[in-house]
Amino acid sequence: MPRFGRSFLAHWWLDPEITYLNHGTVGATPRVVLDAQHAWQRRIEAQPARFLFRELMRLTADAPGAPGAPRPLLRQAADAVADFVGARGDDLVFVDNASTGINAVLRSIALQPGDEILVLDQAYGAVVNAARFVARKAGATVVTVATPWPADEATPAATVAALERALTPRTRLAILDHISSQTALILPVAEMAARCRAHGVPVLIDAAHAPGAIALDVASLGADWVVGNLHKWAFAPRACGFLWVAPAQRASLHPPVISWGLDLGLAQEFDWTGTRDPSPMLAAPDGLAFMRDVLGLEAMRDWNHGLVWRMAHTLAARWGRRFDTPESLVGCMASVPLPARIAALGEAAAPALKDWLLHERRIEAQVLAIRGEAWVRLAAQVYNDEADYERLADAMDQWPA
Ligand SMILES: Cc1ncc(COP(=O)(O)O)c(C=O)c1O
């Protein structure tokens, strides 16, 4: 008997008329977590100033609070998240999303003309934009690493070697994707970070898709900074991410929005970046509890991985394509080549096909281009089952383009 599947949609507000195969894109928050968020919002609204200035965070340089004062609520939430991702609460701050965390790092590093920021060719486009923005202001350049592809050639050793070839004495920062948004591959970030360290290059790991999706132990990755989204696979309300910072990098890191916490330390700088709604962060531990207590962490991961792995093969076979990705590089998403007649349309196919799937077939799926060919990125969550992917396979056969 399957443990999960369509009946689990009852835990979400997702429209049951829509086949939702894109959990990875912006996440989907379980009802119980939204309830917890709303409870926080009600508590905030009972005494907003008291809550935000006295209970949520503490803005002081040297006084850790009155003796016996409880740890600020945002720090308590950070402790819970840190515990989940293998970190100490004091080394981790909340950010609205991965983009904000990545911008914090990029805007905090000192760049000189001629310096290089290294990104992978599988990097998320918005991250590349952020790197380009800071590089062009400093007269630096963004260097793109050509990683091995197709997937059967993307062995960890080949990926690490490609990265190492791109390191130069001018490399000031390497941004490494833990799970690529485009190919969905799990990349060997710990080994890549080790090579960067050997060359004296600081490393930012973009783990936007990792928390919840795969086991994550940030402190052991050997990076200087790790950014992750909690609203994708860790069931936090939107918008909620974290930024982990190695102790040596704490003094020089600042949020993209400077506020009252300037120079008061990592937590103070990031815990108050102007007035905003902290309820997604405060409810993040409820997302973790849902995963652990309602679904079961291992059961959820086994279901998601097994389902996407099986269906990637099934769909590729139906479409006359090969799905060659090694299983160890697959988490709960898999990018699958589309039927040749669609794949050949490349990037141009993506928006039209995505819209047609949604409007004509009620399927939300991520269509993207990889090296000039159109692919579909399958995501699996506990509310999905094989029938969802069969509907997608049928729809592809019917696409009129
Ligand atoms: C690899 C990667 N990095 C960064 C981001 C940006 O995340 P956000 O839009 O939550 O800032 C995404 C979003 O999907 C992503 O896939």
Side-chain angles (χ1 to χ4, degrees), residues 6 8 21 54 56 89 153 156 158 163 167 210 260 284 290 334-335 370:
R6 189 170 174 81
F8 271 71
L21 294 176
R54 291 194 171 80
L56 179 73
E153 288 171 21
L163 169 81
L167 294 168
W260 288 107
F290 175 76
S335 290
I370 305 179

Side-chain angles (χ1 to χ4, degrees), residues 6-80:
R6 189 170 174 81
S7 65
F8 271 71
L9 268 180
H11 289 282
W12 276 263
W13 288 104
L14 286 166
D15 181 347
E17 296 292 312
I18 302 288
T19 300
Y20 205 75
L21 294 176
N22 202 3
H23 188 94
T25 192
V26 290
T29 315
R31 292 177 182 215
V32 66
V33 181
L34 287 171
D35 290 346
Q37 180 188 17
H38 296 154
W40 280 111
Q41 286 170 327
R42 283 195 295 276
R43 185 168 159 190
I44 294 167
E45 292 315 317
Q47 289 201 59
R50 173 183 170 154
F51 187 96
L52 292 181
F53 295 127
R54 291 194 171 80
E55 297 174 19
L56 179 73
M57 50 95 216
R58 197 173 290 132
L59 264 179
T60 50
D62 41 19
R71 192 156 159 78
L73 291 170
L74 204 52
R75 290 289 95 214
Q76 291 184 34
D79 291 343

Side-chain angles (χ1 to χ4, degrees), residues 88 126 149 208 257 379:
R88 295 178 336 129
W149 187 259
V257 174

Side-chain angles (χ1 to χ4, degrees), residues 3-252:
R3 160 94 201 269
F4 298 115
R6 189 170 174 81
S7 65
F8 271 71
L9 268 180
H11 289 282
W12 276 263
W13 288 104
L14 286 166
D15 181 347
E17 296 292 312
I18 302 288
T19 300
Y20 205 75
L21 294 176
N22 202 3
H23 188 94
T25 192
V26 290
T29 315
R31 292 177 182 215
V32 66
V33 181
L34 287 171
D35 290 346
Q37 180 188 17
H38 296 154
W40 280 111
Q41 286 170 327
R42 283 195 295 276
R43 185 168 159 190
I44 294 167
E45 292 315 317
Q47 289 201 59
R50 173 183 170 154
F51 187 96
L52 292 181
F53 295 127
R54 291 194 171 80
E55 297 174 19
L56 179 73
M57 50 95 216
R58 197 173 290 132
L59 264 179
T60 50
D62 41 19
R71 192 156 159 78
L73 291 170
L74 204 52
R75 290 289 95 214
Q76 291 184 34
D79 291 343
V81 170
D83 189 51
F84 181 68
V85 299
R88 295 178 336 129
D90 287 338
D91 294 335
L92 182 143
V93 287
F94 284 109
V95 287
D96 285 350
N97 45 49
S99 302
T100 306
I102 288 165
N103 272 273
V105 174
L106 281 166
R107 287 154 183 256
S108 297
I109 55 169
L111 286 175
Q112 304 297 326
D115 284 350
E116 295 169 359
I117 299 174
L118 210 136
V119 297
L120 307 183
D121 55 359
Q122 304 188 33
Y124 188 66
V127 172
V128 178
N129 277 352
R132 284 204 187 112
F133 179 74
V134 296
R136 78 180 174 209
K137 281 172 72 155
T141 52
V142 175
V143 173
T144 305
V145 183
T147 54
W149 187 259
D152 56 341
E153 288 171 21
T155 62
T159 303
V160 173
L163 169 81
E164 192 158 24
R165 279 195 299 276
L167 294 168
T168 78
R170 305 307 308 259
T171 313
R172 292 288 166 268
L173 172 71
I175 306 179
L176 309 177
D177 299 71
H178 200 336
I179 300 178
S180 160
S181 166
Q182 192 186 76
T183 63
L185 297 182
I186 301 174
L187 298 177
V189 279
E191 294 88 333
M192 293 161 96
R195 296 321 303 149
C196 291
R197 248 194 345 271
H199 289 262
V201 173
V203 172
L204 163 59
I205 294 183
D206 175 358
H209 278 282
I214 58 172
L216 182 62
D217 186 52
V218 292
S220 69
L221 294 178
D224 294 80
W225 311 270
V226 179
V227 69
N229 268 334
L230 297 165
H231 56 232
K232 286 184 187 288
W233 297 95
F235 300 133
R238 243 170 271 105
C240 185
F242 72 81
L243 173 60
W244 174 87
V245 188
Q249 298 290 359
R250 287 174 60 157
S252 56

